[in-house]
Amino acid sequence: MSIGPMNHTAPHGGRTARIGLWGASGSGKTSYLASLFVAVNQTQGRWNIVGVDKESVDFLAEKTDTLTRRRRFPLKTEGIQHLSWTVMGTTEQTVRERWRKRTETVPLHIQLDMIDAPGGYFKGAEEDEKAGEDLDIDIDFNDAEDASAGGGNTPEDLIDQLTECDGIIYLFDPLRENEHGDEFQHFQWALQNIVHRAAQNGTLDGMHLPHHLAVCITKLDAPKVFHTASKRGCLTVDPDDPYLFPRVRDDKVEDLFRDLGRLSPTRSALMVHDAIKASFHPGRVRYFATSAVGFYLGRRATRFRVADFQNVIPDPDERQKYAIRGDIHPINVLEPLLWLGQQTRR
Ligand SMILES: Nc1nc2c(ncn2[C@@H]2O[C@H](COP(=O)(O)OP(=O)(O)OP(=O)(O)O)[C@@H](O)[C@H]2O)c(=O)[nH]1
Ligand SMILES: [Mg+2]
């Protein structure tokens, strides 16, 4: 597995999928990216990832270290950060011959240009103060100067950049929504501006945005989210997973999104769900239930135990609000990226 830099010209000649991350402050955007290297490693050699430039190489190396060795979460993002990675693997392709069809395995390289910005930007110019309260500010891997490299650095610039993306990963944090109930406020400011910009650019596809959208429920490992998914009968296990970690059934994720939305004081996530339906092409939206850190697995345990699953605990050093208890086992971190990468190649 490599995180070294590579030549910017893709060896496969494939096109780059530009992907933006969208989500309120503290919804888990940076943690999601920070867990990507481990998520790729989990595939046991089926996928590999390399940084395209130094900033992207350093991001993977530093953030992986933060989550896995230091067992801490990344700090609140300052400014817009551009990251560029190539994810390499193989895919099955159907080949039509004269009398029959057959599948063959072909190399697949997905160029990802990612944008990570502070969640406060999705509400417009006004700063989100609440989200920073629980985060430590003395160790900063997100150098503000680096972060502003490669494009403007205001909420309006972020809207421009998202409008130009092929795919968007929208992170919905049910814990934040449960506490603040302001998801729709965040969502609609950005959405209305993206639609407006796409209309100006002439890229609207009828009444829909041209983007593919991966809607990711974050923090599945958190007890409130996990128990809701469990009570609603949404959980399943992948028999190929040696640790038998629970996952949300593909056909239940969208229902879970609505169920979690109903638990919030304002039910604003229900309006987000309706707004997604109104603005994105139905065939271009997919829901995922994710966790950057995944469930806890005891040192000697060989499989998931529902009696002891929490991998996020109060920080014993009290430097940050939370710390990570054991190894991380990202859930559905690579999958949305592969889905977006594959969709946008077509
Ligand atoms: N339980 C759990 N908590 C998480 C997870 N990912 C992130 N968190 C928590 O959410 C907090 C915020 O995560 P970040 O990744 O910084 O969120 P962000 O969206 O990048 O935030 P901004 O940069 O402020 O917009 C972390 O400090 C953790 O406390 C996860 O997978 N599980
Ligand atoms: Mg961040």
Side-chain angles (χ1 to χ4, degrees):
M1 194 65 46
S2 158
I3 52 173
M6 64 173 291
N7 218 322
H8 209 337
T9 42
H12 45 89
R15 62 185 286 273
T16 298
R18 292 198 64 191
I19 294 173
L21 273 183
W22 178 359
S25 287
S27 56
K29 298 179 293 299
T30 310
S31 305
Y32 169 87
L33 293 181
S35 68
L36 185 57
F37 184 67
V38 176
V40 168
N41 265 323
Q42 275 176 342
T43 68
Q44 310 284 337
R46 276 188 295 126
W47 293 95
N48 197 353
I49 185 166
V50 287
V52 166
D53 52 36
K54 185 170 181 318
E55 192 184 346
S56 310
V57 171
D58 290 350
F59 180 98
L60 277 189
E62 286 167 2
K63 298 289 193 277
T64 303
D65 184 65
T66 307
L67 289 184
T68 58
R69 192 182 58 80
R70 294 186 51 237
R71 296 192 170 166
R72 293 294 182 282
F73 285 98
L75 298 170
K76 194 170 154 56
T77 305
E78 307 285 343
I80 301 175
Q81 185 163 25
H82 292 260
L83 298 156
S84 235
W85 295 307
T86 304
V87 177
M88 298 169 290
T90 54
T91 189
E92 303 277 293
Q93 185 173 286
T94 309
V95 185
R96 278 168 214 278
E97 290 175 341
R98 194 159 173 211
W99 302 112
R100 63 189 181 120
K101 277 193 232 164
R102 66 181 170 84
T103 49
E104 62 178 25
T105 307
V106 292
L108 176 65
H109 291 231
I110 301 173
Q111 284 285 125
L112 300 172
D113 277 356
M114 304 286 313
I115 303 169
D116 183 22
Y121 279 28
F122 293 95
K123 265 191 1 183
E126 141 200 19
E127 259 304 303
D128 190 330
E129 288 146 23
K130 185 86 181 146
E133 279 172 10
D134 50 7
L135 295 171
D136 173 9
I137 42 164
D138 66 355
I139 318 153
D140 194 359
F141 286 131
N142 282 337
D143 184 337
E145 272 174 44
D146 278 1
S148 62
N153 208 353
T154 66
E156 285 69 27
D157 296 323
L158 177 63
I159 293 298
D160 282 339
Q161 292 168 31
L162 278 180
T163 308
E164 273 157 33
C165 281
D166 308 294
I168 297 178
I169 296 187
Y170 164 60
L171 298 191
F172 166 65
D173 173 3
L175 300 182
R176 186 198 153 98
E177 171 61 4
N178 201 256
E179 197 178 329
H180 300 267
D182 61 354
E183 191 66 29
F184 187 61
Q185 186 194 347
H186 272 85
F187 188 80
Q188 74 149 353
W189 181 86
L191 180 67
Q192 286 184 4
N193 279 284
I194 296 170
V195 172
H196 173 66
R197 209 58 55 88
Q200 279 180 331
N201 298 351
T203 54
L204 277 185
D205 180 2
M207 56 187 269
H208 295 124
L209 285 167
H211 305 78
H212 282 81
L213 180 72
V215 181
C216 297
I217 300 168
T218 58
K219 310 181 186 177
L220 176 64
D221 63 285
K224 267 189 191 162
V225 187
F226 175 67
H227 287 138
T228 306
S230 172
K231 277 190 221 140
R232 301 288 196 276
C234 299
L235 297 178
T236 181
V237 189
D238 173 1
D240 293 335
D241 173 1
Y243 305 121
L244 300 179
F245 287 124
R247 305 176 73 86
V248 176
R249 283 171 45 179
D250 287 346
D251 61 337
K252 292 277 189 185
V253 193
E254 192 171 347
D255 294 344
L256 179 64
F257 183 92
R258 286 191 68 87
D259 284 344
L260 288 164
R262 278 191 200 99
L263 297 180
S264 95
T266 58
R267 299 153 75 95
S268 82
L270 298 181
M271 291 193 281
V272 171
H273 184 249
D274 293 340
I276 290 172
K277 279 198 180 312
S279 298
F280 291 87
H281 195 286
R284 296 193 194 133
V285 180
R286 194 166 154 191
Y287 286 76
F288 296 86
T290 72
S291 167
V293 298
F295 298 105
Y296 179 69
L297 191 70
R299 268 179 191 275
R300 276 184 288 275
T302 50
R303 50 177 290 191
F304 170 84
R305 287 181 56 229
V306 73
D308 187 17
F309 70 84
Q310 270 180 261
N311 208 9
V312 176
I313 50 169
D315 184 356
D317 305 335
E318 297 182 356
R319 299 181 71 196
Q320 288 178 225
K321 191 168 179 185
Y322 296 112
I324 300 162
R325 186 171 162 209
D327 293 344
I328 68 163
H329 305 101
I331 301 169
N332 271 337
V333 165
L334 183 59
E335 289 78 351
L337 286 173
L338 293 180
W339 178 70
L340 286 173
Q342 280 163 334
Q343 297 303 310
T344 54
R345 272 170 68 89
R346 287 201 180 136

